[in-house]
Amino acid sequence: MRFRKNIIEMEAYTVPKKLPPVRLDKNESPFDVPLAIKKKVFEYFHDNPFNRYPEIDSLTLRSKIAEEKAIDPEQIFVSNGGDALIPEIISLFEGEQVVTFQPTFSMYGFYAMRYGLNVTDIDLDKNFSIPDSFIPDPEKMALVVICSPNNPTGNDMEESKIRKILDTGVPVLLDQAYVEFSEKNCLPLLEEYENLIILRTFSKAFGMSGLRIGYAITSKTIANHFRRAHAPFSMNIFSAKMALEMLKNKAIIQEKVAFIKRERDKLQEVLADLVPVKSSANFVLLKTDAYDFLFKRGIAVRNFSGKMDEYIRVTIGTEEENETVKRLIGEFESKHHTWIH
Ligand code: PMP
């Protein structure tokens, strides 16, 4: 038995197993799906069988997403979390390189390696923006991945820079997993650029991480090729129904998103001296070494290695959790540093 070289060189994606009770480490929503919606879906499945396959292409859910975005369902692909779509997208294009802007979500590099592609990591500039010096080479590059708002920095990438990359014709995956918390919706770009794929998820603003629902929206040209490579039956009937019901109740989500944005802005204000860049997501990057201090006090946040080892990423939680985070980080900083008076 021989394993492919690029698989041997990969490292399994892991997260710490033993976490304290307050989980502010995975950019999840603090809000569950409302019980009334859960009950409605449970009741629906009382009379609907599990022994049959779902729709092959999730047309009902795709049509609902398409309707609210006023686009053609043929331009939408749904799958088991946005994560499951990343390797499908990476596999579509000719070229030996996948470009990512660091620091960013690690799964782009992970899946590029799985396909044996070279990952070209470009450092974001000191403001965590795409560097002006970046010039894509559509001959070499299979895909340029832009995450906006970017995980873990939280900032939006400037539209002018996204356009500059798109103008070269290179395929662009624009990951907007956190777009609901931002003011910068990039969907209109799809009318202008046929080399664009936008990735979205129900895991963050919709509070449905456990159900694994993500979708990609793209041009008709890319969609015609994507369709050939897309896994059939990629969305289970339970998650699809839940997503459909949540889309019928969007006001609930808008309210939760507004709360999270308010809490994020308050946290950024109080801890302003530690915030390297303004977040447009449901988390905030902070320059502090309070990871262990928080962990010991029952709060899990995200820490990093390498160039980001001076930072932590804190997901916005409930009001009480956010208050505790502000208080504890303030306490930590006043003990270890002098910025708090
Ligand atoms: N993109 C980004 C930037 C993310 O942070 C995540 C989840 N952490 C995803 C995509 C994938 O989300 P999911 O698979 O839950 O849809």
Side-chain angles (χ1 to χ4, degrees):
M1 188 158 59
R2 288 181 302 137
F3 291 98
R4 279 168 48 219
K5 186 167 162 280
N6 50 309
I7 300 299
I8 294 167
E9 283 168 3
M10 283 178 80
E11 260 176 54
Y13 187 84
T14 54
V15 289
K17 291 217 166 59
K18 273 199 168 171
L19 285 177
V22 178
R23 308 275 167 84
L24 305 179
D25 61 323
K26 291 192 190 66
N27 302 339
E28 295 154 334
S29 172
F31 305 108
D32 191 6
V33 168
L35 192 56
I37 293 180
K38 283 188 178 175
K39 280 189 175 157
K40 192 173 168 197
V41 173
F42 295 160
E43 221 159 89
Y44 170 86
F45 281 107
H46 189 271
D47 300 319
N48 281 276
F50 282 162
N51 60 323
R52 301 292 174 191
Y53 279 99
E55 287 174 309
I56 182 164
D57 57 358
S58 313
L59 183 60
T60 309
L61 177 57
R62 288 195 296 122
S63 301
K64 184 73 187 160
I65 296 169
E67 173 196 306
E68 59 150 30
K69 304 204 178 328
I71 55 172
D72 187 337
E74 295 305 302
Q75 292 172 258
I76 299 179
F77 296 84
V78 302
S79 198
N80 196 23
D83 213 277
L85 289 161
I86 297 171
E88 294 195 0
I89 294 165
I90 286 176
S91 73
L92 293 180
F93 304 100
E94 278 290 353
E96 66 230 37
Q97 286 177 14
V98 170
V99 176
T100 69
F101 295 101
Q102 295 296 325
T104 196
F105 186 46
S106 61
M107 299 313 280
Y108 317 129
F110 179 94
Y111 288 122
M113 276 193 78
R114 196 163 95 175
Y115 281 97
L117 296 166
N118 296 325
V119 185
T120 303
D121 288 330
I122 307 282
D123 284 339
L124 291 169
D125 69 16
K126 63 178 187 337
N127 303 315
F128 295 122
S129 269
I130 295 170
D132 289 320
S133 56
F134 175 69
I135 302 168
D137 179 350
E139 287 303 309
K140 279 201 191 132
M141 295 171 182
L143 186 70
V144 174
V145 187
I146 302 171
C147 186
S148 182
N150 185 40
N151 176 11
T153 56
N155 56 312
D156 293 303
M157 296 297 140
E158 294 107 307
E159 191 177 312
S160 58
K161 293 193 177 177
I162 299 172
R163 281 178 176 278
K164 224 175 104 188
I165 296 171
L166 283 165
D167 283 334
T168 66
V170 74
V172 172
L173 168 58
L174 179 58
D175 185 346
Q176 295 220 288
Y178 301 95
V179 71
E180 291 87 351
F181 306 102
S182 162
E183 310 304 321
K184 299 248 168 80
N185 172 10
C186 288
L187 271 185
L189 290 178
L190 274 175
E191 285 164 27
E192 288 176 62
Y193 295 102
E194 67 165 15
N195 49 332
L196 175 61
I197 306 174
I198 294 178
L199 192 66
R200 299 277 188 96
T201 182
F202 283 78
S203 294
K204 310 297 178 182
F206 283 78
M208 300 167 83
S209 304
L211 293 173
R212 314 301 302 122
I213 311 155
Y215 59 101
I217 313 175
T218 189
S219 65
K220 292 199 169 154
T221 310
I222 292 182
N224 286 337
H225 291 80
F226 202 156
R227 202 162 295 114
R228 301 170 208 207
H230 185 46
F233 307 113
S234 56
M235 173 60 42
N236 73 76
I237 51 176
F238 189 83
S239 298
K241 184 73 182 162
M242 231 16 157
L244 203 63
E245 286 306 315
M246 284 299 270
L247 286 174
K248 291 184 195 156
N249 291 277
K250 276 204 87 176
I252 300 171
I253 300 306
Q254 278 152 2
E255 201 184 295
K256 311 283 189 215
V257 166
F259 166 87
I260 291 168
K261 284 165 75 176
R262 271 197 311 275
E263 286 290 299
R264 172 196 70 202
D265 292 342
K266 279 197 304 193
L267 191 136
Q268 294 194 109
E269 216 178 290
V270 172
L271 300 175
D273 291 26
L274 307 176
V275 176
V277 67
K278 197 172 165 306
S279 172
S280 300
N282 66 338
F283 56 85
V284 176
L285 188 71
L286 298 172
K287 192 167 188 175
T288 173
D289 35 16
Y291 179 85
D292 291 335
F293 184 84
L294 292 171
F295 199 96
K296 283 184 196 138
R297 285 156 186 80
I299 299 173
V301 298
R302 181 74 154 87
N303 62 350
F304 304 97
S305 56
K307 284 183 186 159
M308 294 298 287
D309 67 354
E310 293 180 317
Y311 295 91
I312 61 170
R313 189 194 66 197
V314 181
T315 307
I316 301 302
T318 63
E319 192 169 1
E320 194 188 344
E321 288 167 348
N322 304 331
E323 288 307 317
T324 309
V325 163
K326 282 182 275 186
R327 179 175 54 75
L328 287 177
I329 295 183
E331 215 175 275
F332 176 84
E333 287 294 318
S334 64
K335 260 191 222 154
H336 295 84
H337 304 282
T338 52
W339 68 267
I340 272 183
H341 308 289

